[in-house]
């Protein structure tokens, strides 16, 4: 065994030991709450760094090579020492988690499950309204984690962050309760031709959402409503909608608003790509719990199943698929 680098990342050793314990890549990936492709990639990287083959893989079984057997006790000792070091010196501070806006369900469900997984770690909710603003707060160290459309961030900002896809969230439209389309169970996009739809234009915290709307509306005869002061509160929302009668682009889990109806969009089904986002190199037991919770919720609620007749910008699709 010839060590090819000065240090081996603990993540690679954890991937290796999970396969050792399960002797099955799919079960090991499920145990670590990662995609099987990601686990296989980590094992191959460890093999390259050590310059040896650790497993014999066939279509029917996985077995340790002699070099793999030699590595097992070393890997266990390294991880035990790391865990002891972290436990002795790291008192986890509260993790600040941005949920965008009160009532949006995706982040709330993930956060609720993460709190169950690590009841002794404090995870504090924040509401920063949009990922563009939240990303700046994360990079400034004033926030730890957020949810949102990662592809909508400036590439230079994305390069300093990491992300984990959580959900393809179907998009919807909020209508006045007496709007001509309010009686429909779902609104075909073609029915919005000629309408002007509010999508947060002018809000410096959410340009990624406005950009998504523009891409969706182009060529369909739908206009993005011009910039307007941000409306805060249910009653103010209802008053402004009654006055302007402007439909509002939303997602299917958007909380109910007074004197309005929420209708999913169809033909095609546009989806808002939601990722968990954090600063590169950041570690925290609360982040680990959030990532595990996001994987659990996405699996249980089929959040990452892309609709057969779905719509998503090409850049978003590439970023969401690149994780696996």
């Amino acid at each position: 065994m010839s060590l090819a680098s000065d240090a081996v990342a603990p993540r690679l050793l954890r991937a290796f030991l999970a396969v050792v314990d399960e002797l099955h890549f799919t079960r090991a990936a499920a145990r670590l709450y990662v995609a099987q492709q990601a686990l296989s990639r980590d094992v191959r990287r460890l093999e390259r760094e050590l310059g040896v083959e650790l497993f014999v893989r066939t279509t029917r079984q996985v077995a340790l090579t002699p070099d793999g057997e030699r590595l097992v006790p070393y890997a266990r000792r390294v991880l035990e020492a790391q865990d002891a070091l972290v436990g002795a010196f790291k008192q986890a501070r509260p993790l600040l988690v941005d949920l965008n806006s009160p009532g949006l369900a995706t982040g709330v469900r993930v956060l609720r499950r993460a709190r169950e997984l690590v009841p002794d770690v404090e995870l504090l909710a924040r509401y920063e309204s949009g990922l563009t603003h939240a990303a700046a707060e994360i990079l400034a160290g004033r926030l730890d984690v957020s949810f949102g459309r990662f592809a909508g961030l400036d590439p230079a900002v994305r390069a300093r962050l990491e992300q984990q896809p959580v959900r393809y969230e179907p998009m919807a439209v909020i209508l006045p309760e007496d709007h001509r389309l309010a009686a429909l169970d779902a609104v075909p996009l073609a029915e919005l031709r000629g309408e002007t739809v509010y999508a947060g234009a002018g809000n410096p915290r959410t340009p990624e959402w406005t950009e998504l709307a523009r891409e969706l509306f182009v060529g369909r005869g739908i206009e993005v409503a011009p910039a307007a002061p941000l409306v805060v509160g249910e009653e103010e929302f209802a008053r402004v909608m009654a006055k302007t009668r402007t439909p509002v682009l939303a997602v299917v889990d958007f909380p109910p608003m007074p004197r309005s109806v929420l209708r999913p969009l169809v033909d095609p089904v546009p989806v808002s790509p939601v990722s968990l986002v954090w600063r590169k190199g950041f570690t925290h037991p609360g982040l680990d719990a959030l990532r595990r919770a996001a994987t659990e919720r996405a699996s249980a609620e089929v959040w990452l199943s892309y609709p057969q007749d779905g719509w998503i910008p090409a850049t978003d699709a590439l970023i969401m698929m690149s994780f696996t």
Side-chain angles (χ1 to χ4, degrees), residues 2 15 17 22 33 48 64 73 96 103 119 161 169-170 177-178 202 210 226 233 244 305 315 324:
S2 59
L17 289 178
E22 299 291 342
Y33 296 94
R48 287 196 303 271
L64 278 166
L96 304 181
L161 300 170
E169 187 165 14
E177 57 189 0
D178 59 348
T210 308
T244 65
S305 178
T315 301
T324 58

Side-chain angles (χ1 to χ4, degrees), residues 135-218:
E137 294 294 285
I138 289 172
L139 294 179
R142 293 187 291 267
L143 186 68
D144 297 317
V145 182
S146 187
F147 293 86
R149 182 187 170 224
F150 191 67
L153 298 176
D154 183 278
V157 174
R158 292 204 305 260
R160 300 172 62 191
L161 300 170
E162 294 188 68
Q163 64 98 22
Q164 175 177 328
V166 176
R167 185 179 187 183
Y168 291 113
E169 187 165 14
M171 297 166 73
V173 63
I174 303 172
L175 303 163
E177 57 189 0
D178 59 348
H179 191 277
R180 64 181 180 86
L181 300 175
L184 299 177
D185 292 331
V187 175
L189 274 167
E191 292 294 332
L192 288 175
R193 178 174 291 276
E195 294 277 359
T196 297
V197 179
Y198 180 72
N203 184 348
R205 291 173 174 248
T206 60
E208 73 280 356
W209 179 250
T210 308
E211 179 193 356
L212 184 64
R214 293 190 194 282
E215 293 201 42
L216 175 62
F217 294 166
V218 68

